[in-house]
Amino acid sequence: MNSAEGMSRTSGALRDPYADAALRIRRIDTSAIQRSIGRLLARDQKWKPFFASFWILGDFPEHLEVTSSYTVEEARIRICRLERSPDFLYWLSPPSFEVAEDELSILWKVVDEIWSVVPSNLDLGNSTQVRRYIGNRAEQLIALHLPRTMGKADRLHRSRFLADILERNTAGLGILETLLADPNVQDIFLDAPCDSVPIHLTVADAGEGRSHQRCRSNILMYETGLRNIISKLLIMSKRPFSERNPVLEMDLGDMNARLTAVGPPLSPDGIALAIRRHSTDPWTLTKLVYHRSLTPLAAGLISFLIDGNATMLVTGSRGAGKSSLLGAMMFEFPTSQRVLTIEDTLELPCAELRRLGYKVQSLYVGSGTSSDRMTAEKALRVSLRLGESAIVLGEVRGKEAKTLYEAMRVGTAGSAVLGTIHGSSSKSVFERVVHDLGIPPQSFSATDVVIVAGLFRPRGTQNSRRRVIEISELCKESYDGRFLPLMTFSVSQDSLVETDVFLHGSGKIREIANSWGMSYDEAIANIHARAECKLHIVELARRLGTKLLSAKLLSLANSVFSSMVEEGYSGNELVGRWKEWMDVRAVYA
């Protein structure tokens, strides 16, 4: 895209919301949409501010049961249980829809004044610069137009509030920014045709203990508004998006999210978006235990295996929590361990790890289309020359797999190797690596353990629960991809349970035990000690608050556990002394 095109697109993106507006407020007939979401709307029309790229449908359905209610950046959010439906309703009341008509008149004037004279040094192709200009200029102009009867403090506060609304809905991504500011939102889906399908989402907590819940919303994007958003994304990403290139993938760095857009002809009904929001509060094994995605004993086993430098792959379907689990596992590394990460989508908690004192070097391979871009395979080869380190691959899926397994076989892949890979079972991982990626079965034997994350639907309900459903080790006596289960999922107990292999015959546990000068029973006792410590943190969190599940506290707790082991404590004495320390620490935390 040349600079002239960039200026045209930027200017159009900023002006389109007003260019076709005959009135300061517009309305839409939502009768068809009303029927599609179960006759929830009290009226068949809804007014909206002229600058917004979306509609808010109808009035809040007071007859519905509210399961969760909170506020994000002055926007009120209510999550409701829908009648005779497995879905919930995510109802957003944005502050931009509460702007009085006299203030809308001011904003209408301000928009014209802002663009009546454009500074010659303003780069319309620089979205950050344009956004800063609109925000600052709007605040100045709005303050001049507000009633003189207002006090100085009220005038400053109101002008900043209105300028922020104008900035977000013109130079920014509008309602998408509001949704991404909600830490409860995990996924945002905008299906085509956008002007007849309300936005739907996945939320972390819908109330009533329902996690990872699908929600419909009261938000409808109109096509011109969506195209304006796409034009801004093109300038931000500097990537093509057209009928020839109908897919756009990019990171929304400031909003901690990953966006994928598809357009015609791939999406014949128009542009569609899917946005996955990365967690700003990293997952830990204790947090996974708290949410019952993992049992304490499974957490203890994973901690033991990481400490023993095992090679582990996390597999599962999309949305099962592979990346969350992989990120949580990284906090089980000792702080003395150097870690190299390779990602094409920035999801691992590297920044938080560094803040806590871990030695983490990130390698970002991106997802651009340039022929000379750094690939995961090239990055992996570079990482093997960066010194002894544990290697964490965001996803194993291409040519890098061959390089990885060659390095593991000859012992140059570092202290431990962790990664995710698509699959539904340990056996499917073998099939994918050996048959799809072309890795010889002898090389695959460098894999030690496969952890399977899944979505469990109790009694066939639509409310899926994220669970670790299998932990298996590779049988190294043959090259046929046979796995021995260490822990398997019990549907009746909704929990992982240990197997006889775990209790008596795990080759990997025995190998680690031998390297540590332990008997097999002592290794099992070590795993149980780790499990008991993780469970104790969770029990304290249920009584004292979920801040005890933070990565910061877990990292410190793991370090104290390790130091006590270094001092010679083991078994019940180790756990007892650690609990004494933890009880005191929890009060201050």
Side-chain angles (χ1 to χ4, degrees):
M1 183 177 66
N2 58 42
S3 58
E5 289 175 333
M7 291 177 64
S8 173
R9 286 178 177 171
T10 306
S11 178
L14 295 169
R15 293 291 293 167
D16 276 355
Y18 329 114
D20 63 348
L23 299 171
R24 290 190 301 275
I25 303 176
R26 302 175 64 195
R27 61 186 178 181
I28 184 173
D29 183 349
T30 61
S31 55
I33 301 164
Q34 179 179 11
R35 290 191 296 273
S36 73
I37 61 173
R39 302 182 183 280
L40 287 173
L41 311 181
R43 303 185 308 187
D44 66 352
Q45 289 183 335
K46 183 63 188 177
W47 298 94
K48 83 172 190 67
F50 70 90
F51 51 75
S53 59
F54 60 96
W55 311 99
I56 293 295
L57 304 179
D59 293 324
F60 179 73
E62 300 288 350
H63 64 285
L64 292 183
E65 174 191 356
V66 177
T67 59
S68 182
S69 178
Y70 52 95
T71 301
V72 175
E73 295 185 351
E74 301 191 58
R76 186 182 181 189
I77 296 162
R78 284 165 285 187
I79 299 178
C80 313
R81 180 193 293 277
L82 288 173
E83 297 173 340
R84 300 181 180 277
S85 172
D87 288 348
F88 279 59
L89 176 65
Y90 181 99
W91 192 276
L92 176 69
S93 300
S96 55
F97 276 63
E98 298 173 6
V99 177
E101 287 198 38
D102 58 335
E103 292 179 331
L104 284 171
S105 298
I106 292 174
L107 293 179
W108 181 264
K109 295 174 185 176
V110 166
V111 167
D112 283 335
E113 290 178 19
I114 287 176
W115 293 110
S116 60
V117 179
V118 179
S120 59
N121 62 345
L122 179 63
D123 180 5
L124 294 177
N126 186 325
S127 56
T128 302
Q129 188 181 122
V130 170
R131 182 163 185 162
R132 187 184 303 116
Y133 167 72
I134 291 177
N136 293 338
R137 185 64 176 147
E139 185 174 2
Q140 296 169 0
L141 294 172
I142 291 169
L144 295 175
H145 286 291
L146 288 173
R148 296 295 179 185
T149 55
M150 292 181 67
K152 183 178 180 180
D154 290 340
R155 181 189 296 270
L156 290 174
H157 178 269
R158 196 61 184 173
S159 61
R160 181 63 261 169
F161 171 77
L162 294 173
D164 181 69
I165 289 176
L166 202 60
E167 174 190 331
R168 179 171 295 189
N169 285 279
T170 55
L173 302 183
I175 193 64
L176 297 181
E177 292 189 13
T178 303
L179 293 174
L180 288 170
D182 181 359
N184 199 29
V185 169
Q186 295 178 321
D187 298 282
I188 302 170
F189 302 103
L190 200 165
D191 293 335
C194 66
D195 53 6
S196 61
V197 182
I199 290 174
H200 53 110
L201 315 103
T202 305
V203 298
D205 181 9
E208 301 181 337
R210 293 179 178 265
S211 60
H212 194 62
Q213 183 67 46
R214 288 188 292 268
C215 295
R216 306 177 189 183
S217 81
N218 63 325
I219 308 162
L220 186 72
M221 188 78 66
Y222 71 91
E223 186 176 359
T224 302
L226 177 57
R227 290 189 177 278
N228 290 329
I229 288 175
I230 289 294
S231 68
K232 298 166 196 170
L233 294 173
L234 293 180
I235 295 167
M236 291 166 60
S237 67
K238 296 180 174 60
R239 293 176 185 169
F241 185 65
S242 61
E243 290 191 3
R244 184 176 180 181
N245 298 284
V247 178
L248 173 66
E249 292 185 289
M250 61 180 292
D251 285 308
L252 303 175
D254 293 343
M255 285 164 271
N256 199 40
R258 175 74 174 174
L259 176 143
T260 301
V262 294
L266 182 61
S267 173
D269 296 319
I271 298 172
L273 296 179
I275 303 175
R276 166 156 286 191
R277 184 178 178 278
H278 309 319
S279 176
T280 54
D281 183 19
W283 284 93
T284 60
L285 293 187
T286 47
K287 188 181 291 189
L288 291 170
V289 172
Y290 181 89
H291 289 284
R292 298 190 61 193
S293 296
L294 198 63
T295 63
L297 185 58
L301 173 60
I302 291 172
S303 176
F304 175 87
L305 292 170
I306 291 174
D307 203 2
N309 295 331
T311 296
M312 291 190 280
L313 295 178
V314 179
T315 190
S317 59
R318 189 184 186 280
K322 298 187 298 296
S323 296
S324 298
L325 177 56
L326 181 64
M329 291 165 63
M330 291 178 67
F331 289 101
E332 297 302 310
F333 283 123
T335 53
S336 60
Q337 173 67 65
R338 185 166 182 261
V339 181
L340 286 167
T341 67
I342 301 173
E343 299 179 88
D344 63 0
T345 300
L346 297 175
E347 295 182 301
L348 297 176
C350 298
E352 181 67 18
L353 285 159
R354 281 190 286 267
R355 278 194 291 270
L356 295 177
Y358 291 84
K359 296 183 281 292
V360 180
Q361 173 61 56
S362 302
L363 299 179
Y364 175 52
V365 296
S367 56
T369 57
S370 173
S371 59
D372 60 349
R373 72 180 179 88
M374 178 64 72
T375 64
E377 181 190 15
K378 293 177 183 176
L380 180 57
R381 291 190 181 277
V382 169
S383 73
L384 296 176
R385 298 194 296 269
L386 289 178
E388 196 276 331
S389 305
I391 295 175
V392 181
L393 271 171
E395 185 171 352
V396 180
R397 59 181 170 192
K399 294 180 179 178
E400 72 276 4
K402 184 175 182 180
T403 304
L404 176 66
Y405 276 96
E406 285 177 355
M408 288 194 294
R409 281 198 72 193
V410 298
T412 60
S415 301
V417 176
L418 306 179
T420 67
I421 187 168
H422 281 287
S424 57
S425 65
S426 53
K427 185 65 176 178
S428 71
V429 171
F430 174 81
E431 298 290 337
R432 174 152 172 70
V433 171
V434 173
H435 298 298
D436 295 346
L437 301 181
I439 306 301
Q442 295 88 342
S443 297
F444 182 78
S445 64
T447 304
D448 292 321
V449 173
V450 170
I451 302 173
V452 183
L455 294 172
F456 172 56
R457 292 171 51 189
R459 298 184 178 275
T461 62
Q462 295 300 311
N463 180 32
S464 300
R465 300 173 183 174
R466 286 176 172 172
R467 297 288 188 264
V468 172
I469 58 175
E470 178 188 344
I471 302 177
S472 296
E473 69 172 39
L474 181 68
C475 178
K476 303 293 182 77
E477 296 176 358
S478 63
Y479 299 129
D480 58 356
R482 185 161 56 94
F483 282 84
L484 302 175
L486 300 175
M487 305 193 80
T488 58
F489 189 73
S490 168
V491 174
S492 60
Q493 299 178 45
D494 185 13
S495 175
L496 282 169
V497 295
E498 65 267 36
T499 65
D500 287 339
V501 175
F502 168 79
L503 294 173
H504 307 292
S506 165
K508 189 59 189 178
I509 293 176
R510 190 177 304 281
E511 177 187 324
I512 296 173
N514 291 338
S515 68
W516 290 357
M518 287 181 173
S519 68
Y520 192 89
D521 288 341
E522 286 174 327
I524 295 296
N526 184 279
I527 294 170
H528 277 279
R530 294 168 189 261
E532 196 169 343
C533 292
K534 298 282 192 289
L535 177 60
H536 190 66
I537 294 176
V538 171
E539 290 173 340
L540 288 171
R542 296 193 192 283
R543 298 203 316 266
L544 302 177
T546 55
K547 286 185 177 180
L548 296 177
L549 304 174
S550 70
K552 180 178 180 180
L553 182 63
L554 179 63
S555 175
L556 179 59
N558 286 344
S559 294
V560 171
F561 182 92
S562 297
S563 67
M564 289 182 177
V565 171
E566 293 290 335
E567 293 170 12
Y569 296 107
S570 62
N572 292 334
E573 186 179 15
L574 168 63
V575 173
R577 284 184 174 272
W578 183 91
K579 284 184 176 180
E580 289 176 4
W581 171 86
M582 187 66 219
D583 290 342
V584 173
R585 185 70 190 183
V587 174
Y588 291 102

